[in-house]
Amino acid sequence: NKLEETKESNAGVNHQLSKTGDSLSEDEKKYFGEKKSQMKNEIKKISEEMQSNSEVFTVADQLNIAGREATNEEYNINKGQKQTAVKHGVKTDFFLNQAIQQLKAIKSEMDQSALQNAQNAASDLIKKQKDLKNKTQKENDPKEQSQLSKEQEKLKDDLKNLQDQIKQAIQ
């Protein structure tokens, strides 16, 4: 979400920049330079978050490149070189989009994996329940029935854990 917001912010600033004249006034340099600096810092924060999680480390690479392009944008804006800044802005957008697409693909894989794990756990619980039911029907010994009752309680707890796991996977 943060990355999507940063991308939208970058697009808005780029749109505003494209509407300015060929040369930037000092106020425009300051305004656009500050906006690009803020965006660059946000990209850096998001990149650091990604680097802390090995599953999304490749996203951090894309964000680092986007951050470098944003630095180039800021530099060129401050120098009054609008056209060069705009070119770097296009590259920044490209790398932000790449990072977002990678994150969406990773999220989809994670969601599928979590649901598959929950489905496997449900299958295991069903099998255990059937086995326990068969044992219970055949057993006449009170001690064994007591043991089977304890196993049933454990299955009940396992089912509750599975329900929690499924809720998390769905969320």
Side-chain angles (χ1 to χ4, degrees):
N1 290 340
K2 287 183 202 174
L3 189 53
E4 287 279 357
E5 289 170 8
T6 301
K7 180 185 153 240
E8 292 297 319
S9 173
N10 186 55
V13 171
N14 287 346
H15 182 71
Q16 286 178 322
L17 182 61
S18 70
K19 289 187 172 192
T20 62
D22 286 340
S23 61
L24 298 172
S25 70
E26 289 303 314
D27 287 342
E28 289 171 327
K29 287 180 193 178
K30 183 178 177 184
Y31 173 78
F32 288 113
E34 285 175 4
K35 288 290 186 183
K36 289 298 178 173
S37 179
Q38 290 169 354
M39 187 196 64
K40 180 183 68 174
N41 290 335
E42 190 63 32
I43 291 172
K44 184 178 179 182
K45 280 192 254 177
I46 296 168
S47 176
E48 288 169 356
E49 272 183 56
M50 298 296 126
Q51 288 174 341
S52 68
N53 185 338
S54 63
E55 292 175 338
V56 290
F57 193 77
T58 57
V59 175
D61 289 340
Q62 296 294 323
L63 290 174
N64 286 334
I65 295 169
R68 284 194 295 272
E69 292 300 328
T71 298
N72 289 333
E73 281 182 83
E74 181 184 10
Y75 173 80
N76 286 299
I77 285 170
N78 289 330
K79 290 286 186 183
Q81 299 170 347
K82 176 186 167 184
Q83 297 306 320
T84 307
V86 169
K87 288 178 187 176
H88 286 289
V90 170
K91 289 179 182 179
T92 301
D93 281 346
F94 173 79
F95 289 111
L96 287 174
N97 280 326
Q98 291 290 87
I100 288 169
Q101 288 176 357
Q102 285 179 341
L103 273 176
K104 287 180 179 178
I106 290 167
K107 182 184 180 304
S108 176
E109 287 176 26
M110 290 171 73
D111 291 347
Q112 290 302 316
S113 175
L115 288 172
Q116 185 63 45
N117 290 342
Q119 189 175 25
N120 292 342
S123 295
D124 289 346
L125 274 177
I126 290 168
K127 184 180 180 304
K128 286 178 184 178
Q129 177 61 30
K130 283 181 182 178
D131 291 345
L132 189 59
K133 181 181 175 187
N134 289 337
K135 283 182 188 177
T136 303
Q137 287 175 344
K138 294 176 185 175
E139 195 55 57
N140 291 329
D141 182 14
K143 282 186 179 179
E144 284 297 315
Q145 285 181 342
S146 174
Q147 180 61 31
L148 291 173
S149 177
K150 288 178 185 174
E151 287 181 38
Q152 183 65 40
E153 285 296 317
K154 183 176 177 346
L155 275 178
K156 193 168 117 180
D157 290 342
D158 289 346
L159 179 60
K160 179 162 179 9
N161 289 337
L162 175 61
Q163 287 171 332
D164 293 343
Q165 182 183 357
I166 290 171
K167 284 178 188 174
Q168 279 186 329
I170 289 171
Q171 288 174 351

